[in-house]
Amino acid sequence: METTKPKSERLLSLDAYRGFTIACMILVNCPGTWNHVYGPLLHVEWNGLTPTDLIFPSFIFMVGVSIAFAFKKRIEGGASKAQLRNKVIFRALKIYLVGLILWVWTDIPTILSNPLKYDYGDIRFTGVLQRIAAVFLICGLLFVYTRLRTQVIICILFLVGYTAAVTLIPVPGQKEVVFEPGNNIVCWVDSKLLPGHFWWGPDNHERNWEEWQSRYPNMQPWDPEGILSTFPAIASGLIGIFAGMLLLSKNRSQERKVIILFFAGALMLGASYFWDIVSPINKSMWTSSYVMFSSGFACTVLAASIYFVDMLGFKKCAYIGIVFGCNAIAIYCLADILGPFFYGGPENGLNHTVMNWLIAHGTSAKFASMAYALMFVGVNFIPAWILYKLKIYIRL
Protein backbone atom coordinates (compact mmCIF):
# COMPACT_ATOMS: atom_id res chain seq x y z
CA MET A 1 0.00 0.00 0.00
CA GLU A 2 1.29 3.44 -0.87
CA THR A 3 0.01 6.94 -0.23
CA THR A 4 0.52 9.59 -2.86
CA LYS A 5 -0.45 13.15 -3.53
CA PRO A 6 -1.95 13.81 -6.94
CA LYS A 7 0.31 15.47 -9.50
CA SER A 8 -2.48 16.79 -11.70
CA GLU A 9 -6.12 17.65 -11.55
CA ARG A 10 -8.36 14.59 -11.57
CA LEU A 11 -11.41 14.15 -13.77
CA LEU A 12 -14.00 14.71 -11.06
CA SER A 13 -16.82 12.94 -12.88
CA LEU A 14 -14.86 9.67 -12.74
CA ASP A 15 -14.24 10.07 -9.02
CA ALA A 16 -17.90 10.95 -8.45
CA TYR A 17 -19.25 7.88 -10.24
CA ARG A 18 -16.70 5.56 -8.64
CA GLY A 19 -17.33 7.09 -5.21
CA PHE A 20 -21.12 6.84 -5.33
CA THR A 21 -20.67 3.23 -6.45
CA ILE A 22 -18.54 2.44 -3.39
CA ALA A 23 -21.00 4.22 -1.09
CA CYS A 24 -23.81 2.10 -2.55
CA MET A 25 -21.71 -1.05 -2.12
CA ILE A 26 -21.34 -0.33 1.58
CA LEU A 27 -25.03 0.54 1.87
CA VAL A 28 -26.30 -2.74 0.41
CA ASN A 29 -23.64 -4.90 2.09
CA CYS A 30 -24.26 -3.55 5.59
CA PRO A 31 -27.96 -3.37 6.52
CA GLY A 32 -28.91 -3.16 10.17
CA THR A 33 -30.13 -6.74 9.83
CA TRP A 34 -30.54 -9.09 6.87
CA ASN A 35 -33.96 -10.08 8.21
CA HIS A 36 -35.44 -6.71 7.23
CA VAL A 37 -34.20 -5.23 3.94
CA TYR A 38 -36.09 -3.35 1.22
CA GLY A 39 -36.28 -5.35 -2.01
CA PRO A 40 -34.29 -2.88 -4.18
CA LEU A 41 -31.39 -3.17 -1.70
CA LEU A 42 -31.13 -6.93 -2.24
CA HIS A 43 -29.72 -8.86 -5.17
CA VAL A 44 -32.33 -10.51 -7.36
CA GLU A 45 -32.84 -14.17 -6.49
CA TRP A 46 -31.86 -15.44 -9.94
CA ASN A 47 -32.74 -14.01 -13.37
CA GLY A 48 -33.49 -10.30 -13.70
CA LEU A 49 -32.20 -7.20 -11.96
CA THR A 50 -32.57 -4.94 -8.97
CA PRO A 51 -30.69 -1.63 -8.57
CA THR A 52 -28.27 -3.47 -6.29
CA ASP A 53 -27.23 -5.75 -9.17
CA LEU A 54 -25.85 -2.76 -11.08
CA ILE A 55 -23.41 -1.63 -8.39
CA PHE A 56 -20.56 -4.14 -8.74
CA PRO A 57 -20.43 -4.13 -12.57
CA SER A 58 -20.35 -0.32 -12.47
CA PHE A 59 -17.19 -0.52 -10.41
CA ILE A 60 -15.69 -3.16 -12.72
CA PHE A 61 -16.48 -0.83 -15.64
CA MET A 62 -14.70 2.00 -13.84
CA VAL A 63 -11.67 -0.26 -13.29
CA GLY A 64 -11.39 -0.44 -17.08
CA VAL A 65 -11.78 3.32 -17.46
CA SER A 66 -9.06 3.87 -14.86
CA ILE A 67 -6.70 1.46 -16.66
CA ALA A 68 -7.04 3.49 -19.86
CA PHE A 69 -6.43 6.80 -18.07
CA ALA A 70 -3.49 5.62 -15.97
CA PHE A 71 -1.59 3.48 -18.45
CA LYS A 72 -2.04 5.59 -21.56
CA LYS A 73 -0.33 8.47 -19.75
CA ARG A 74 2.50 6.19 -18.62
CA ILE A 75 2.97 4.79 -22.13
CA GLU A 76 3.11 8.30 -23.55
CA GLY A 77 5.57 9.19 -20.79
CA GLY A 78 7.98 6.52 -21.99
CA ALA A 79 7.30 3.68 -19.55
CA SER A 80 8.35 0.30 -20.93
CA LYS A 81 6.00 -2.66 -21.31
CA ALA A 82 8.01 -4.57 -18.73
CA GLN A 83 7.56 -1.76 -16.18
CA LEU A 84 3.83 -1.58 -16.81
CA ARG A 85 3.49 -5.38 -16.73
CA ASN A 86 5.20 -5.57 -13.35
CA LYS A 87 3.03 -2.76 -12.02
CA VAL A 88 -0.14 -4.53 -13.17
CA ILE A 89 0.88 -7.88 -11.67
CA PHE A 90 2.04 -6.36 -8.38
CA ARG A 91 -1.11 -4.28 -7.89
CA ALA A 92 -3.40 -7.17 -8.82
CA LEU A 93 -1.60 -9.38 -6.31
CA LYS A 94 -1.97 -6.75 -3.57
CA ILE A 95 -5.71 -6.36 -4.18
CA TYR A 96 -6.19 -10.15 -4.21
CA LEU A 97 -4.26 -10.67 -0.97
CA VAL A 98 -6.20 -7.88 0.75
CA GLY A 99 -9.40 -9.66 -0.29
CA LEU A 100 -8.19 -12.85 1.39
CA ILE A 101 -7.11 -10.96 4.52
CA LEU A 102 -10.51 -9.30 4.83
CA TRP A 103 -12.22 -12.70 4.64
CA VAL A 104 -10.23 -13.99 7.65
CA TRP A 105 -10.11 -10.59 9.40
CA THR A 106 -11.97 -11.73 12.54
CA ASP A 107 -9.94 -14.98 12.64
CA ILE A 108 -6.50 -13.35 12.45
CA PRO A 109 -5.86 -13.70 16.24
CA THR A 110 -6.65 -17.42 15.96
CA ILE A 111 -4.38 -17.84 12.95
CA LEU A 112 -1.51 -16.03 14.64
CA SER A 113 -1.87 -17.98 17.89
CA ASN A 114 -2.04 -21.41 16.25
CA PRO A 115 -1.58 -21.27 12.46
CA LEU A 116 -1.25 -25.04 12.04
CA LYS A 117 -4.70 -25.79 13.42
CA TYR A 118 -6.66 -23.19 11.43
CA ASP A 119 -9.07 -24.56 8.82
CA TYR A 120 -7.68 -22.94 5.67
CA GLY A 121 -10.23 -24.87 3.61
CA ASP A 122 -12.88 -22.48 4.95
CA ILE A 123 -11.23 -19.47 3.29
CA ARG A 124 -13.16 -17.98 0.39
CA PHE A 125 -10.61 -17.60 -2.39
CA THR A 126 -13.02 -15.63 -4.54
CA GLY A 127 -14.91 -12.44 -3.74
CA VAL A 128 -15.37 -8.80 -4.70
CA LEU A 129 -11.74 -7.72 -4.34
CA GLN A 130 -10.50 -10.99 -5.80
CA ARG A 131 -12.63 -10.45 -8.91
CA ILE A 132 -11.46 -6.84 -9.16
CA ALA A 133 -7.87 -8.14 -8.97
CA ALA A 134 -8.48 -10.70 -11.74
CA VAL A 135 -10.17 -8.16 -14.01
CA PHE A 136 -7.44 -5.59 -13.38
CA LEU A 137 -4.73 -8.17 -14.10
CA ILE A 138 -6.13 -9.44 -17.41
CA CYS A 139 -7.41 -6.08 -18.67
CA GLY A 140 -4.19 -4.35 -17.66
CA LEU A 141 -2.01 -6.89 -19.46
CA LEU A 142 -4.23 -6.76 -22.54
CA PHE A 143 -3.99 -2.96 -22.56
CA VAL A 144 -0.20 -3.10 -22.34
CA TYR A 145 0.44 -5.85 -24.88
CA THR A 146 -2.41 -5.64 -27.42
CA ARG A 147 -4.01 -3.08 -29.69
CA LEU A 148 -7.51 -1.75 -29.26
CA ARG A 149 -8.78 -3.86 -32.15
CA THR A 150 -7.48 -7.03 -30.50
CA GLN A 151 -9.11 -6.07 -27.23
CA VAL A 152 -12.46 -5.62 -28.98
CA ILE A 153 -12.15 -9.05 -30.59
CA ILE A 154 -11.27 -10.66 -27.24
CA CYS A 155 -14.21 -8.93 -25.57
CA ILE A 156 -16.61 -10.27 -28.22
CA LEU A 157 -15.13 -13.77 -28.00
CA PHE A 158 -15.53 -13.81 -24.23
CA LEU A 159 -19.17 -12.72 -24.45
CA VAL A 160 -20.17 -15.04 -27.29
CA GLY A 161 -18.14 -17.95 -25.93
CA TYR A 162 -19.64 -17.62 -22.45
CA THR A 163 -23.15 -17.49 -23.88
CA ALA A 164 -22.42 -20.65 -25.85
CA ALA A 165 -21.08 -22.38 -22.74
CA VAL A 166 -24.09 -21.66 -20.51
CA THR A 167 -26.68 -22.38 -23.19
CA LEU A 168 -25.18 -25.36 -25.05
CA ILE A 169 -23.05 -27.37 -22.60
CA PRO A 170 -24.98 -29.61 -20.16
CA VAL A 171 -23.69 -30.56 -16.74
CA PRO A 172 -21.90 -33.93 -17.06
CA GLY A 173 -24.38 -36.66 -16.23
CA GLN A 174 -27.40 -34.61 -17.30
CA LYS A 175 -28.96 -34.98 -20.75
CA GLU A 176 -30.25 -31.43 -21.10
CA VAL A 177 -28.75 -28.01 -20.49
CA VAL A 178 -29.87 -26.67 -17.11
CA PHE A 179 -29.55 -23.09 -15.90
CA GLU A 180 -30.54 -23.17 -12.23
CA PRO A 181 -28.88 -21.95 -9.03
CA GLY A 182 -26.04 -24.31 -8.19
CA ASN A 183 -26.93 -26.55 -11.12
CA ASN A 184 -25.35 -25.40 -14.38
CA ILE A 185 -22.08 -25.84 -16.23
CA VAL A 186 -20.53 -22.72 -14.63
CA CYS A 187 -21.18 -23.99 -11.09
CA TRP A 188 -20.06 -27.49 -12.06
CA VAL A 189 -16.66 -26.18 -13.24
CA ASP A 190 -16.27 -24.24 -9.98
CA SER A 191 -17.14 -27.34 -7.96
CA LYS A 192 -14.31 -29.23 -9.69
CA LEU A 193 -11.63 -26.54 -9.81
CA LEU A 194 -12.36 -23.93 -7.13
CA PRO A 195 -11.05 -24.64 -3.62
CA GLY A 196 -12.27 -23.26 -0.31
CA HIS A 197 -15.54 -21.75 0.83
CA PHE A 198 -18.42 -21.03 -1.57
CA TRP A 199 -20.55 -17.94 -0.96
CA TRP A 200 -23.92 -19.57 -1.65
CA GLY A 201 -24.29 -22.36 0.87
CA PRO A 202 -26.12 -23.34 4.07
CA ASP A 203 -24.52 -20.48 6.04
CA ASN A 204 -25.41 -17.68 3.62
CA HIS A 205 -27.14 -14.83 5.45
CA GLU A 206 -29.16 -13.49 2.52
CA ARG A 207 -31.07 -16.61 1.51
CA ASN A 208 -32.87 -19.51 3.18
CA TRP A 209 -30.80 -22.44 1.92
CA GLU A 210 -33.35 -25.11 2.84
CA GLU A 211 -36.12 -23.24 1.04
CA TRP A 212 -33.94 -22.86 -2.05
CA GLN A 213 -33.08 -26.55 -2.06
CA SER A 214 -36.76 -27.42 -1.91
CA ARG A 215 -37.22 -25.48 -5.17
CA TYR A 216 -33.96 -26.65 -6.77
CA PRO A 217 -33.29 -30.20 -5.51
CA ASN A 218 -30.05 -30.54 -7.52
CA MET A 219 -28.57 -27.31 -6.19
CA GLN A 220 -25.08 -27.52 -4.72
CA PRO A 221 -23.03 -24.79 -2.99
CA TRP A 222 -21.71 -22.33 -5.56
CA ASP A 223 -20.00 -18.97 -5.88
CA PRO A 224 -21.09 -15.90 -7.90
CA GLU A 225 -17.44 -14.84 -8.32
CA GLY A 226 -16.27 -18.18 -9.66
CA ILE A 227 -13.86 -19.14 -12.43
CA LEU A 228 -15.88 -19.16 -15.66
CA SER A 229 -17.99 -16.14 -14.75
CA THR A 230 -14.80 -14.10 -14.45
CA PHE A 231 -14.42 -14.12 -18.24
CA PRO A 232 -17.54 -12.02 -18.95
CA ALA A 233 -16.52 -9.81 -16.00
CA ILE A 234 -13.26 -9.19 -17.86
CA ALA A 235 -15.41 -8.14 -20.82
CA SER A 236 -17.09 -5.59 -18.52
CA GLY A 237 -13.64 -4.21 -17.72
CA LEU A 238 -12.68 -4.11 -21.39
CA ILE A 239 -15.79 -2.11 -22.22
CA GLY A 240 -14.64 0.33 -19.53
CA ILE A 241 -11.29 0.54 -21.32
CA PHE A 242 -13.06 1.36 -24.58
CA ALA A 243 -15.00 4.14 -22.83
CA GLY A 244 -11.76 5.45 -21.31
CA MET A 245 -10.02 5.52 -24.69
CA LEU A 246 -12.96 7.44 -26.13
CA LEU A 247 -12.69 10.03 -23.37
CA LEU A 248 -8.94 10.32 -23.95
CA SER A 249 -9.23 10.82 -27.70
CA LYS A 250 -7.96 14.22 -28.82
CA ASN A 251 -9.82 14.58 -32.11
CA ARG A 252 -13.28 15.01 -30.56
CA SER A 253 -14.79 17.71 -28.38
CA GLN A 254 -15.95 16.84 -24.89
CA GLU A 255 -19.55 17.36 -25.94
CA ARG A 256 -19.18 14.86 -28.80
CA LYS A 257 -17.50 12.32 -26.51
CA VAL A 258 -20.42 12.52 -24.07
CA ILE A 259 -22.94 12.07 -26.88
CA ILE A 260 -21.10 9.04 -28.29
CA LEU A 261 -20.75 7.52 -24.81
CA PHE A 262 -24.44 8.04 -24.09
CA PHE A 263 -25.65 6.51 -27.34
CA ALA A 264 -23.17 3.62 -27.07
CA GLY A 265 -24.71 2.90 -23.68
CA ALA A 266 -28.21 3.09 -25.13
CA LEU A 267 -27.24 0.64 -27.89
CA MET A 268 -25.87 -1.84 -25.33
CA LEU A 269 -29.05 -1.54 -23.27
CA GLY A 270 -31.03 -2.36 -26.39
CA ALA A 271 -28.73 -5.25 -27.28
CA SER A 272 -29.17 -6.71 -23.80
CA TYR A 273 -32.92 -7.01 -24.43
CA PHE A 274 -32.35 -9.30 -27.41
CA TRP A 275 -29.41 -11.13 -25.81
CA ASP A 276 -31.65 -11.85 -22.82
CA ILE A 277 -33.81 -14.02 -25.10
CA VAL A 278 -30.86 -16.38 -25.64
CA SER A 279 -29.18 -16.07 -22.23
CA PRO A 280 -31.14 -14.41 -19.38
CA ILE A 281 -29.81 -11.35 -17.59
CA ASN A 282 -28.31 -12.87 -14.46
CA LYS A 283 -25.90 -11.20 -12.08
CA SER A 284 -24.98 -14.38 -10.18
CA MET A 285 -23.68 -15.99 -13.38
CA TRP A 286 -22.55 -12.64 -14.87
CA THR A 287 -24.18 -13.59 -18.16
CA SER A 288 -23.30 -11.80 -21.39
CA SER A 289 -26.73 -10.14 -21.52
CA TYR A 290 -26.01 -8.87 -18.01
CA VAL A 291 -22.68 -7.47 -19.24
CA MET A 292 -24.50 -5.63 -22.02
CA PHE A 293 -27.14 -4.18 -19.72
CA SER A 294 -24.82 -3.20 -16.87
CA SER A 295 -22.18 -1.76 -19.23
CA GLY A 296 -24.85 0.18 -21.11
CA PHE A 297 -26.10 1.52 -17.80
CA ALA A 298 -22.55 2.44 -16.75
CA CYS A 299 -21.88 4.28 -20.04
CA THR A 300 -25.03 6.38 -19.76
CA VAL A 301 -24.42 7.21 -16.10
CA LEU A 302 -20.78 8.13 -16.78
CA ALA A 303 -21.89 10.34 -19.69
CA ALA A 304 -24.38 12.07 -17.40
CA SER A 305 -21.72 12.45 -14.70
CA ILE A 306 -19.28 14.08 -17.13
CA TYR A 307 -22.00 16.39 -18.43
CA PHE A 308 -23.23 17.60 -15.04
CA VAL A 309 -19.99 17.53 -13.01
CA ASP A 310 -17.27 18.46 -15.51
CA MET A 311 -19.16 20.42 -18.15
CA LEU A 312 -21.86 22.20 -16.12
CA GLY A 313 -19.76 22.40 -12.96
CA PHE A 314 -22.25 20.86 -10.49
CA LYS A 315 -19.40 19.72 -8.26
CA LYS A 316 -21.18 20.40 -4.95
CA CYS A 317 -23.95 17.94 -5.84
CA ALA A 318 -21.32 15.27 -6.45
CA TYR A 319 -19.19 16.11 -3.40
CA ILE A 320 -19.91 12.89 -1.47
CA GLY A 321 -19.10 10.77 -4.50
CA ILE A 322 -15.91 12.68 -5.22
CA VAL A 323 -14.71 12.24 -1.63
CA PHE A 324 -15.38 8.50 -1.65
CA GLY A 325 -14.03 8.10 -5.17
CA CYS A 326 -10.57 9.45 -4.41
CA ASN A 327 -9.87 6.43 -2.17
CA ALA A 328 -12.55 4.01 -3.33
CA ILE A 329 -10.98 0.59 -2.72
CA ALA A 330 -9.33 1.73 0.52
CA ILE A 331 -12.67 2.86 1.94
CA TYR A 332 -14.34 -0.36 0.83
CA CYS A 333 -11.67 -2.28 2.76
CA LEU A 334 -12.09 0.01 5.75
CA ALA A 335 -15.81 -0.79 5.86
CA ASP A 336 -14.96 -4.50 6.12
CA ILE A 337 -12.45 -3.81 8.89
CA LEU A 338 -14.90 -1.68 10.87
CA GLY A 339 -17.78 -4.10 10.36
CA PRO A 340 -17.17 -6.30 13.45
CA PHE A 341 -17.20 -3.20 15.67
CA PHE A 342 -20.56 -1.97 14.37
CA TYR A 343 -22.35 -5.29 13.84
CA GLY A 344 -22.80 -7.83 16.60
CA GLY A 345 -24.97 -10.78 17.53
CA PRO A 346 -28.75 -10.90 17.35
CA GLU A 347 -29.18 -9.07 20.65
CA ASN A 348 -26.05 -7.26 21.82
CA GLY A 349 -24.74 -5.55 18.69
CA LEU A 350 -24.75 -1.79 18.21
CA ASN A 351 -26.83 -2.30 15.06
CA HIS A 352 -29.65 -3.94 17.02
CA THR A 353 -29.48 -1.34 19.79
CA VAL A 354 -29.90 1.48 17.27
CA MET A 355 -32.56 -0.39 15.31
CA ASN A 356 -34.58 -1.18 18.42
CA TRP A 357 -34.48 2.50 19.39
CA LEU A 358 -35.68 3.57 15.96
CA ILE A 359 -38.46 0.98 15.92
CA ALA A 360 -39.55 2.04 19.41
CA HIS A 361 -39.89 5.59 18.05
CA GLY A 362 -42.23 4.60 15.26
CA THR A 363 -40.14 3.52 12.27
CA SER A 364 -40.57 0.20 10.47
CA ALA A 365 -37.97 -2.52 10.82
CA LYS A 366 -36.90 -2.18 7.18
CA PHE A 367 -36.51 1.57 7.51
CA ALA A 368 -34.48 1.15 10.70
CA SER A 369 -32.24 -1.38 8.95
CA MET A 370 -31.65 1.00 6.04
CA ALA A 371 -31.09 3.94 8.39
CA TYR A 372 -28.37 2.04 10.22
CA ALA A 373 -26.72 1.16 6.89
CA LEU A 374 -26.75 4.85 5.94
CA MET A 375 -25.22 5.70 9.31
CA PHE A 376 -22.44 3.18 8.63
CA VAL A 377 -21.83 4.79 5.23
CA GLY A 378 -21.49 8.10 7.09
CA VAL A 379 -18.97 6.59 9.49
CA ASN A 380 -16.81 5.55 6.54
CA PHE A 381 -17.21 8.97 4.96
CA ILE A 382 -15.24 10.58 7.82
CA PRO A 383 -11.83 8.99 7.04
CA ALA A 384 -12.54 9.41 3.31
CA TRP A 385 -13.12 13.12 3.89
CA ILE A 386 -9.93 13.45 5.95
CA LEU A 387 -7.87 11.83 3.19
CA TYR A 388 -9.58 14.01 0.59
CA LYS A 389 -8.79 17.20 2.54
CA LEU A 390 -5.17 16.12 2.88
CA LYS A 391 -5.12 15.36 -0.87
CA ILE A 392 -3.87 11.85 -0.21
CA TYR A 393 -4.77 8.82 -2.31
CA ILE A 394 -4.19 5.35 -0.90
CA ARG A 395 -3.20 2.93 -3.65
CA LEU A 396 -3.56 -0.76 -3.00
Side-chain angles (χ1 to χ4, degrees):
M1 181 182 298
E2 58 183 291
T3 60
T4 62
K5 293 193 176 183
K7 297 179 181 180
S8 61
E9 185 178 356
R10 299 167 68 92
L11 194 58
L12 295 180
S13 56
L14 301 183
D15 283 331
Y17 187 16
R18 181 168 49 237
F20 280 122
T21 300
I22 284 296
C24 288
M25 273 189 177
I26 298 172
L27 174 67
V28 301
N29 287 343
C30 305
T33 173
W34 286 105
N35 295 325
H36 301 284
V37 183
Y38 288 115
L41 300 181
L42 288 172
H43 291 292
V44 72
E45 283 200 351
W46 189 235
N47 294 332
L49 284 170
T50 70
T52 297
D53 295 307
L54 294 171
I55 297 173
F56 191 18
S58 291
F59 194 85
I60 293 290
F61 173 86
M62 291 303 298
V63 168
V65 175
S66 299
I67 288 173
F69 270 74
F71 290 169
K72 190 172 186 296
K73 291 179 181 178
R74 290 189 173 95
I75 291 172
E76 292 174 347
S80 68
K81 290 184 177 181
Q83 289 174 319
L84 295 177
R85 176 200 64 209
N86 294 340
K87 190 172 187 67
V88 168
I89 294 173
F90 184 56
R91 190 178 185 200
L93 182 61
K94 285 193 293 182
I95 295 173
Y96 184 85
L97 290 177
V98 169
L100 292 185
I101 292 171
L102 291 178
W103 177 256
V104 299
W105 171 246
T106 57
D107 293 331
I108 287 179
T110 303
I111 296 174
L112 293 177
S113 62
N114 201 335
L116 296 179
K117 289 188 176 181
Y118 185 75
D119 183 10
Y120 294 96
D122 196 45
I123 293 177
R124 186 182 178 214
F125 292 96
T126 61
V128 171
L129 289 180
Q130 291 91 322
R131 172 153 287 183
I132 290 173
V135 171
F136 179 80
L137 175 66
I138 303 302
C139 288
L141 292 178
L142 286 174
F143 188 86
V144 172
Y145 284 103
T146 66
R147 296 178 179 272
L148 184 62
R149 181 181 178 182
T150 303
Q151 296 161 23
V152 172
I153 293 173
I154 291 173
C155 180
I156 294 172
L157 289 176
F158 279 2
L159 294 176
V160 174
Y162 189 69
T163 296
V166 300
T167 58
L168 299 177
I169 303 177
V171 174
Q174 298 183 11
K175 295 181 179 180
E176 298 180 353
V177 176
V178 179
F179 191 70
E180 296 178 346
N183 183 30
N184 55 71
I185 190 61
V186 176
C187 296
W188 182 85
V189 169
D190 288 344
S191 70
K192 298 301 179 182
L193 301 179
L194 190 64
H197 180 90
F198 285 10
W199 181 251
W200 290 112
D203 59 346
N204 184 273
H205 53 243
E206 291 187 48
R207 298 285 186 260
N208 185 320
W209 182 255
E210 290 75 18
E211 191 270 332
W212 269 51
Q213 278 199 317
S214 67
R215 286 189 286 156
Y216 306 104
N218 295 320
M219 181 175 68
Q220 299 297 321
W222 54 283
D223 202 289
E225 277 83 47
I227 297 171
L228 282 186
S229 61
T230 299
F231 287 94
I234 292 169
S236 297
L238 286 171
I239 294 172
I241 287 178
F242 306 153
M245 293 302 291
L246 169 66
L247 297 176
L248 287 169
S249 61
K250 298 178 181 179
N251 58 344
R252 297 183 180 94
S253 66
Q254 193 172 36
E255 292 85 353
R256 188 167 182 80
K257 293 175 187 177
V258 169
I259 292 172
I260 294 174
L261 188 61
F262 181 84
F263 279 101
L267 285 174
M268 283 188 281
L269 289 171
S272 71
Y273 175 82
F274 295 99
W275 212 316
D276 177 70
I277 299 173
V278 179
S279 174
I281 293 174
N282 186 297
K283 188 268 179 189
S284 296
M285 293 291 101
W286 211 284
T287 55
S288 299
S289 55
Y290 174 70
V291 173
M292 284 289 100
F293 189 95
S294 58
S295 298
F297 170 83
C299 282
T300 55
V301 173
L302 179 57
S305 179
I306 294 171
Y307 179 72
F308 286 106
V309 177
D310 293 320
M311 295 174 62
L312 297 185
F314 293 161
K315 297 179 178 62
K316 291 184 178 179
C317 298
Y319 184 75
I320 293 175
I322 293 169
V323 170
F324 272 123
C326 287
N327 289 282
I329 293 182
I331 297 303
Y332 177 83
C333 296
L334 178 64
D336 261 15
I337 294 172
L338 294 178
F341 301 100
F342 285 83
Y343 292 84
E347 296 180 358
N348 57 358
L350 176 63
N351 52 322
H352 294 286
T353 301
V354 174
M355 282 189 60
N356 290 336
W357 184 88
L358 290 171
I359 293 171
H361 285 76
T363 69
S364 68
K366 288 185 177 180
F367 181 86
S369 180
M370 183 183 70
Y372 190 83
L374 287 169
M375 184 202 77
F376 189 60
V377 172
V379 168
N380 286 275
F381 179 79
I382 296 172
W385 179 80
I386 293 173
L387 292 172
Y388 176 77
K389 284 297 183 181
L390 294 175
K391 297 183 179 179
I392 293 175
Y393 300 155
I394 299 178
R395 304 293 190 191
L396 289 179

